[in-house]
Amino acid sequence: MSVENEHRLRFRDAMASLSAAVNIITTDGPAGRCGMTATAVCSVTDTPPTLMVCINRNSAMNPVFQENGHLCVNILNHEQELMARHFAGMTNTSMEERFNWNIWQTGTLGQPLLKETLANLEGRIDQVQEIGTHYVYLVEIKQIRVREAGHGLIYFKRDFHEVMDKHMAAIA
């Protein structure tokens, strides 16, 4: 194994130790409707509210996101692991089936908002940059919905895990 390949694999192992919120990124528009599970999402700034979303350049969804110009980051709760698996392609459920379930609303910008999430952040793609194997999307958030109830869902050590809200667990 080459030194470069070993370095890449060690980096991936290290990143598996970095807990990350589980999100479903959705889009709808002239190029069609699609969605995918993503953990490479983070806040950039709150003025204006901006997120960074990283998507592998090999993903067939990149042209759809880029042509539509808008997307929604749906932050999943602990009960939505199966949805994360569907949108990660871990099940045999087609994209059409996923969007036919009665679990969607349409946001202000026309984007698919998954019901019962911890939050839905709908925005406009301001910039797309190619960095290595990924596209980095900078998304200015225009519409925000936050749900107070629910626990988190994270991806850690290559598996899904529930994160309990201490305050909510104490009242339950």
Side-chain angles (χ1 to χ4, degrees), residues 48-61:
T50 303
L51 292 177
M52 178 180 72
V53 178
C54 301
I55 301 174
N56 191 295
R57 285 185 13 212
N58 292 331
S59 173
M61 294 179 215

Side-chain angles (χ1 to χ4, degrees), residues 75-89:
I75 303 173
L76 303 188
N77 74 49
H78 69 291
E79 296 176 328
Q80 295 176 311
E81 179 181 334
L82 183 56
M83 289 302 295
R85 290 181 182 281
H86 288 316
F87 278 86

Side-chain angles (χ1 to χ4, degrees), residues 53 125-126:
V53 178
I125 299 170
D126 275 347

Side-chain angles (χ1 to χ4, degrees), residues 98-141:
R98 298 172 202 170
F99 282 107
N100 281 336
W101 296 323
N102 188 25
I103 54 173
W104 298 99
Q105 295 175 315
T106 301
T108 306
L109 301 177
Q111 301 309 296
L113 277 61
L114 181 59
K115 295 178 185 177
E116 303 299 318
T117 59
L118 295 177
N120 309 97
L121 298 112
E122 195 178 13
R124 182 186 74 238
I125 299 170
D126 275 347
Q127 292 180 42
V128 181
Q129 297 178 13
E130 272 186 55
I131 300 179
T133 58
H134 282 66
Y135 284 114
V136 176
Y137 292 79
L138 295 178
V139 183
E140 185 176 341
I141 302 305

